[in-house]
Amino acid sequence: MDTATWVLGPVGISAADRVTRVGCRTVLVMVSSVAAGHRLLDLIGLFEGDHRVQVVCTVPATTERRPGAEEFVHAHHGMLLPWSQATQHTFDLVLSADDREIDRVHGKLLLVSDGARRYGHGALLTDGGQVIPRMIALPHESALAVLRRRCPAALPVATVTGDLRLDRLMASVPYRQRYRQALGVADDQTLVTISSTWSPDSTFGRHPGLYRRLLTELPPHRYRVAAVLHPAIWAVHGRWQVRAWLADCIRSGLLLIPPDDGWQATTIAADHVLGDRGSATSYAAALGRPITLATSPDRTIRPGSLAHHIARTATRLDHTRPTEPQLAAARPTAGVTDLLTSRRGVAAGLLRAGMYRLLTLSEPPERPVARPVPAAHAIG
């Protein structure tokens, strides 16, 4: 049984007696994981400056609760409501990045996805034959075909909005030099970023010695090496443990990027990315960074997917040969951006319009834009 303390926040019983800003529309953000939190953080940034909107967060209490979500909310200074409290209040808008527990909350639901494959079971999108979301935001036209096969009843609420994360990355490219300076990378140095998703088949799972190898093989006066690890690695194993595993590499100059913020800026700052089937590798390819796959287990990659396209077109690291010549020979991977989104540069406007429609509020007069990402700072 959930025995969490009731939070005397800006919503709920007697809230009118304690708030300073009254009459706000309330938005609930369902942070089911750190990865989901990152995606939703981009979304709620579109509310900045609007005094008519109050945002609160909750972490769904599922039987397989993922660690790190509450810490993510606290790290970004969000108002965190216990799940038992959040499910007893009706909100003007609910935001979620996956379909777990969406039938437990009350309010107009906007589901934002990096592809309709995230919502493969139509039963999770419906309750009593009724579609739960009021809007499903998809990045690509092809996602509509997947949704049509798996949950045709949800098609009327689906909208192709583009990819706000990609738009923010593209808007950040002009600040690349600033990101490199924040990481301590000199103008004449090459930054190699090692990107890893989670699972035993990932870069970190299969080749944990790769970090030490690059630091040993690449001349330190000409190269810097950064490590970007999927938030699930940090959440499942613990921050102390991840840092302990790489402590000797950090002492030798490895730039270990924390999970809360920084992978985007580090990807933009990079001259080359060593990666795997994870989304960070895909976004690096979309930015035109040369990609070399440190691991690519074909048996776990869905045919026709973005990861499959990169696996077929990107160069693969030969772990038996010196690394530097292989990095020099790598080239950008074409066609990735068009597979990520079919609405380039317009996600901020389409998503904000959808949220304000659900809130029954007029949009602010300022044109919505994809904001550049913050600079990254490595863990010391």
Side-chain angles (χ1 to χ4, degrees), residues 146-319:
V146 179
L147 192 64
R148 183 178 294 109
R149 291 196 306 271
R150 297 180 176 178
C151 188
L155 277 176
V157 301
T159 303
V160 179
T161 59
D163 189 325
L164 183 54
R165 173 176 290 179
L166 178 61
D167 289 351
R168 290 194 67 192
L169 286 168
M170 292 298 188
S172 304
V173 170
Y175 304 96
R176 182 171 186 265
Q177 193 61 29
R178 184 184 304 175
Y179 298 147
R180 289 172 63 87
Q181 291 172 354
L183 289 169
V185 180
D187 292 345
D188 59 350
Q189 287 181 313
T190 296
L191 176 61
V192 179
T193 296
I194 307 175
S195 171
S196 178
T197 189
W198 63 280
S199 85
D201 287 332
S202 67
T203 302
F204 191 62
R206 294 191 65 177
H207 302 289
L210 182 61
Y211 305 86
R212 166 54 59 191
R213 176 184 165 188
L214 260 65
L215 291 168
T216 301
E217 288 188 10
L218 301 178
H221 65 285
R222 292 197 291 115
Y223 287 89
R224 296 299 305 272
V225 179
V228 171
L229 305 178
H230 192 281
I233 299 175
W234 297 86
V236 171
H237 293 285
R239 294 199 182 202
W240 180 90
Q241 184 62 75
V242 172
R243 190 189 181 284
W245 278 330
L246 294 171
D248 63 322
C249 294
I250 295 172
R251 288 191 288 269
S252 297
L254 178 69
L255 301 169
L256 180 58
I257 307 304
D260 297 325
D261 276 311
W263 74 265
Q264 302 99 318
T266 307
T267 301
I268 294 168
D271 296 289
H272 195 108
V273 173
L274 272 169
D276 50 26
R277 59 181 172 81
S279 60
T281 305
S282 299
Y283 283 110
L287 290 171
R289 300 295 175 265
I291 301 297
T292 298
L293 294 177
T295 177
S296 182
D298 295 332
R299 61 182 177 81
T300 62
I301 296 178
R302 180 174 58 85
S305 66
L306 178 57
H308 183 249
H309 171 76
I310 292 177
R312 288 190 302 105
T313 54
T315 58
R316 301 196 183 198
L317 183 67
D318 183 344
H319 292 269

Side-chain angles (χ1 to χ4, degrees), residues 8-22:
L8 296 178
V11 299
I13 298 174
S14 303
D17 296 333
R18 55 181 176 266
V19 297
T20 300
R21 295 289 300 152
V22 298

